[in-house]
Amino acid sequence: MHLRLLPLLLLCLFARCQTKTGMPNANQTRPAYALAIHGGAGTIRKAEMTPEEDAAYRAALDTALTIGESILRGGGSALDAVTATIVWLEDCPLFNAGRGAVFTHDGRNELDASIMDGSTQAAGAVGGVTSVKNPIRLARAVMEKSPHVLLTGRGAEQFALENGLDTVPPEWFFTQKRWDALQQILAGEKKNAPQGRFVPPNSGNPDTKFGTVGCVALDREGHLAAATSTGGMTNKRWNRLGDTPVIGAGTYASDDACAVSCTGHGEYFIRYAVAHDVWARMAYGGLSLREAADQVVMKKLVEKGGEGGLIAVDKDGNIALPFNSEGMYRGYARPGERKIMIYKAE
Amino acid sequence: MHLRLLPLLLLCLFARCQTKTGMPNANQTRPAYALAIHGGAGTIRKAEMTPEEDAAYRAALDTALTIGESILRGGGSALDAVTATIVWLEDCPLFNAGRGAVFTHDGRNELDASIMDGSTQAAGAVGGVTSVKNPIRLARAVMEKSPHVLLTGRGAEQFALENGLDTVPPEWFFTQKRWDALQQILAGEKKNAPQGRFVPPNSGNPDTKFGTVGCVALDREGHLAAATSTGGMTNKRWNRLGDTPVIGAGTYASDDACAVSCTGHGEYFIRYAVAHDVWARMAYGGLSLREAADQVVMKKLVEKGGEGGLIAVDKDGNIALPFNSEGMYRGYARPGERKIMIYKAE
């Protein structure tokens, strides 16, 4: 290409890279750290939340941000920040991950989690574990102490025992709210399908919530990390895994561009490799984080019928929190900046 | 951009899209069909194969191509072609998938498979099944008869029973060669790690083979499909899943660009979302199939230390079969064209 065309080409690229909305980093220099979290997306309407519930979720998200931020402010790694933040969110019974996870068709809690280190692209994931207190710690142990990326079911639990992770009895994960949600769906199934015909999870349910927790971080050294944890879908069967334990679908991180954690109707996030797609649109398409995340969540997923959202941070500290559902529990923090949101118009 | 620059831009794009090596479609028009298969990559040296072994593998690959080709030639769908081809490769004891699968540390056969329809991007996958004769049929049933994409372990087997898939006793999958391979590794572990310390699969083993079978196809309607099936790594533990059941890592298909099936050291293929990465380099980077596949396998994976290869077909009928190991069982067919290869220099 002629050299005299170069300025014009650069101008075009620059114009493409401008963000339309979102939380661009106001400083031109990279912030000392950046952190974003989510607690799931779905049909979350202000009119249906009591002020107490609203306040409880905001307080929980605030505490989670404080935990991650304190590590990053002290010079800790993005990997440690996302791990500690997710551990706290797993232990908090408000969210569908760890304690407070939804129940399977058989009345069990089957937990999935994954983590990825943007600096090395090492990754660890677990699917369908039932006795490990913090699945995200197990995902990290898989990453650091095994030659593998993805372990499942009893084998993953055996690995947890061999590596001294905390295990708990099934009742640790129990919450009345999630149990009642399963009973309600089972009663509906019985009524609508008296011959025992299977009704797909969430089918025809206008009140879908895709409970998941996620965290992405940029640390002082410029390293990125992402982590995601979930109990999956209420009434799930057949040891179904969603996008959370699938690296490239629910979680992705690479220091050259961004870190991403997703929440939503997992099957769609797997088919479109959503987390990796955000990365690829930046890496190969030259898009900004905001453009890449918006195109995937607000355009591609909307066209395909995939409900949900994601959180992402790029190597310059920009943050994107797009979702195409009615709400998403979410928040972010950078030096001197903190915001927590639940509904669309905030 | 000025309109007068358009021809120049198109010229640049055209120049980028030229393939350097490989099997470009000689006709300028899309062929009636295109089909490619693999039977695993790894340390496959001519000097170590008897003429009988060499001939047996070539004959098996030839039969597999004939099965897929007959469906495509008759106007059948890419999806049906990849399914039937993989079923045959699973039943053939030469390859590490279905009958002939490698053994886990515990002396079992745990099978993984996935399939993706490029026309709808529907996908199905199963991980760690032990009693289903043809895991690829189960992956397709997950895609077509469940609301899910990924089922694992006993749950996946329960789904197989509910959907009337053929089940077999464990001895169906037994082959002496694979059993002996496990015993050899276990003996090595015992010798090298007398305290029972774990030796990662394939660590320090110069004779690695990443057995998998895969098939990609383009049909008369212009639809693409990809399918992959494997027994995983010899001596694997903890219900480890590799890239085969991970949509985006081991398998991907989208009619707008290409269909991809991978074979190799699965953990690397998961971390770099290899199958989706080939698609993304075409979709966002404007590369040709050959360029995209070569950049991922011969550059990115080589730099990262990830051994293996892949097969891919694009919407114009071009085929790429790159691998960075010593050999890969592979072949392809288009109208009037058929080639079967094992080693590098063929």
Side-chain angles (χ1 to χ4, degrees):
Chain A
M1 196 178 278
H2 280 273
L3 269 179
R4 66 190 173 87
L5 304 181
L6 203 59
L8 197 66
L9 186 67
L10 289 175
L11 196 70
C12 292
L13 284 173
F14 181 72
R16 285 185 78 188
C17 291
Q18 291 305 292
T19 59
K20 283 177 296 188
T21 57
M23 278 67 69
N25 170 27
N27 296 315
Q28 288 307 301
T29 55
R30 197 182 79 207
Y33 62 83
L35 179 74
I37 57 172
H38 72 73
T43 313
I44 306 164
R45 297 188 194 100
K46 195 167 189 175
E48 288 166 20
M49 293 268 269
T50 66
E52 293 74 24
E53 282 174 333
D54 183 289
Y57 276 103
R58 284 177 201 272
L61 293 168
D62 193 56
T63 304
L65 278 179
T66 300
I67 287 166
E69 201 175 9
S70 68
I71 291 171
L72 294 170
R73 194 185 292 125
S77 72
L79 199 62
D80 284 343
V82 301
T83 306
T85 305
I86 295 291
V87 164
W88 193 85
L89 287 165
E90 284 177 341
D91 288 346
C92 174
L94 288 174
F95 302 102
N96 174 19
R99 193 176 204 174
V102 299
F103 286 87
T104 68
H105 183 75
D106 298 328
R108 292 150 48 95
N109 305 105
E110 292 181 356
L111 311 168
D112 311 327
S114 66
I115 190 164
M116 190 159 187
D117 179 349
S119 65
T120 59
Q121 292 200 265
V126 292
V129 297
T130 60
S131 63
V132 177
K133 180 171 169 281
N134 291 108
I136 199 68
R137 283 199 205 280
L138 180 54
R140 185 157 172 184
V142 170
M143 176 174 90
E144 294 177 341
K145 297 177 182 173
S146 91
H148 301 311
V149 170
L150 177 52
L151 303 184
T152 55
R154 289 192 184 185
E157 282 168 358
Q158 179 60 32
F159 180 81
L161 286 175
E162 290 173 21
N163 284 277
L165 279 110
D166 286 349
T167 56
V168 288
E171 50 269 29
W172 166 262
F173 301 110
F174 180 91
T175 51
Q176 193 64 45
K177 181 178 135 188
R178 304 295 190 189
W179 181 256
D180 293 345
L182 174 65
Q183 301 316 314
Q184 199 187 333
I185 290 178
L186 291 179
E189 270 189 19
K190 218 171 170 181
K191 198 175 150 193
N192 296 327
Q195 283 82 35
R197 200 175 57 82
F198 172 63
V199 180
N202 296 322
S203 67
N205 179 0
D207 198 25
T208 52
K209 285 185 189 70
F210 303 107
T212 314
V213 301
C215 185
V216 292
L218 168 73
D219 66 25
R220 202 155 64 183
E221 307 298 321
H223 297 315
L224 293 165
T228 314
S229 182
T230 190
M233 280 181 170
T234 301
N235 196 33
K236 68 183 176 183
R237 290 188 187 198
W238 308 307
N239 298 135
R240 171 257 188 191
L241 300 183
D243 62 317
T244 298
V246 176
I247 296 295
T251 302
Y252 208 71
S254 178
D255 273 7
D256 60 5
C258 62
V260 183
S261 168
C262 301
T263 170
H265 195 148
E267 278 70 13
Y268 290 85
F269 285 67
I270 295 177
R271 281 179 203 123
Y272 303 108
V274 165
H276 188 262
D277 197 16
V278 172
W279 173 83
R281 284 169 196 254
M282 293 180 72
Y284 307 133
L287 298 193
S288 71
L289 178 75
R290 187 73 206 179
E291 287 174 316
D294 272 353
Q295 283 193 7
V296 174
V297 175
M298 309 310 286
K299 200 161 171 277
K300 187 161 194 174
L301 282 177
V302 168
E303 283 167 10
K304 305 292 185 182
E307 193 182 344
L310 60 81
I311 56 170
V313 58
D314 73 11
K315 62 188 168 73
D316 299 318
N318 297 301
I319 286 169
L321 315 165
F323 59 99
N324 61 37
S325 48
E326 292 200 48
M328 180 166 84
Y329 300 107
R330 63 203 188 277
Y332 71 93
R334 283 182 293 221
E337 232 186 323
R338 175 178 291 213
K339 193 152 188 189
I340 288 161
M341 294 164 281
I342 300 179
Y343 316 108
K344 233 175 219 168
E346 286 198 64
Chain B
M1 198 176 274
H2 281 274
L3 270 179
R4 67 191 174 85
L5 304 182
L6 203 60
L8 198 66
L9 187 67
L10 289 175
L11 195 71
C12 292
L13 284 173
F14 182 72
R16 285 185 77 187
C17 291
Q18 291 306 293
T19 58
K20 281 176 297 186
T21 58
M23 279 66 69
N25 169 27
N27 297 315
Q28 286 308 300
T29 54
R30 197 183 79 207
Y33 62 83
L35 178 75
I37 56 172
H38 72 74
T43 313
I44 306 164
R45 296 189 195 99
K46 196 166 188 174
E48 289 166 18
M49 294 266 270
T50 66
E52 292 74 23
E53 282 173 333
D54 183 288
Y57 276 103
R58 286 178 200 270
L61 293 168
D62 193 54
T63 305
L65 278 179
T66 300
I67 288 167
E69 201 176 10
S70 68
I71 291 172
L72 294 170
R73 195 184 292 126
S77 72
L79 199 61
D80 284 343
V82 300
T83 306
T85 306
I86 296 292
V87 164
W88 193 85
L89 287 165
E90 283 177 341
D91 288 346
C92 174
L94 287 174
F95 302 102
N96 174 19
R99 194 175 204 175
V102 299
F103 286 88
T104 68
H105 183 75
D106 298 329
R108 291 150 49 94
N109 305 106
E110 291 180 356
L111 311 168
D112 311 328
S114 65
I115 191 164
M116 190 159 187
D117 179 350
S119 66
T120 59
Q121 290 200 269
V126 291
V129 296
T130 60
S131 62
V132 177
K133 180 171 168 281
N134 291 109
I136 200 67
R137 282 199 205 279
L138 180 54
R140 185 157 172 184
V142 170
M143 177 174 90
E144 294 177 341
K145 297 177 182 174
S146 92
H148 300 312
V149 170
L150 176 52
L151 303 184
T152 55
R154 289 193 183 185
E157 281 167 358
Q158 179 60 32
F159 179 80
L161 286 177
E162 291 173 20
N163 285 276
L165 280 109
D166 285 349
T167 56
V168 286
E171 50 270 28
W172 166 262
F173 302 109
F174 181 91
T175 51
Q176 193 64 45
K177 180 179 136 189
R178 304 294 189 189
W179 180 256
D180 293 346
L182 173 66
Q183 301 315 314
Q184 197 186 338
I185 291 179
L186 291 178
E189 270 190 19
K190 217 170 170 181
K191 196 174 154 194
N192 296 328
Q195 284 83 34
R197 200 175 58 79
F198 172 64
V199 179
N202 297 322
S203 66
N205 179 0
D207 197 24
T208 52
K209 284 185 191 70
F210 303 106
T212 314
V213 300
C215 183
V216 293
L218 168 73
D219 65 25
R220 201 155 64 182
E221 307 297 322
H223 298 315
L224 294 165
T228 315
S229 181
T230 190
M233 278 179 171
T234 302
N235 196 33
K236 67 183 178 183
R237 290 189 187 197
W238 309 305
N239 298 134
R240 171 259 188 190
L241 300 183
D243 62 316
T244 298
V246 176
I247 297 294
T251 302
Y252 207 72
S254 178
D255 272 7
D256 61 4
C258 62
V260 183
S261 167
C262 300
T263 171
H265 195 147
E267 278 70 14
Y268 290 86
F269 284 67
I270 296 177
R271 281 179 203 123
Y272 303 108
V274 164
H276 188 262
D277 197 15
V278 173
W279 173 82
R281 285 170 195 252
M282 294 181 71
Y284 308 134
L287 298 193
S288 70
L289 178 76
R290 188 72 207 179
E291 288 174 317
D294 271 353
Q295 284 193 8
V296 174
V297 175
M298 308 310 285
K299 200 160 173 275
K300 187 161 193 174
L301 283 177
V302 167
E303 282 167 12
K304 305 294 185 181
E307 193 181 346
L310 60 83
I311 57 169
V313 58
D314 73 11
K315 61 188 169 71
D316 300 319
N318 296 300
I319 286 169
L321 315 165
F323 59 99
N324 60 37
S325 47
E326 291 199 50
M328 180 167 84
Y329 300 108
R330 63 203 187 278
Y332 71 92
R334 282 182 294 219
E337 230 187 323
R338 175 178 291 214
K339 193 153 188 191
I340 287 161
M341 295 164 280
I342 300 179
Y343 317 108
K344 234 177 219 167
E346 286 198 65

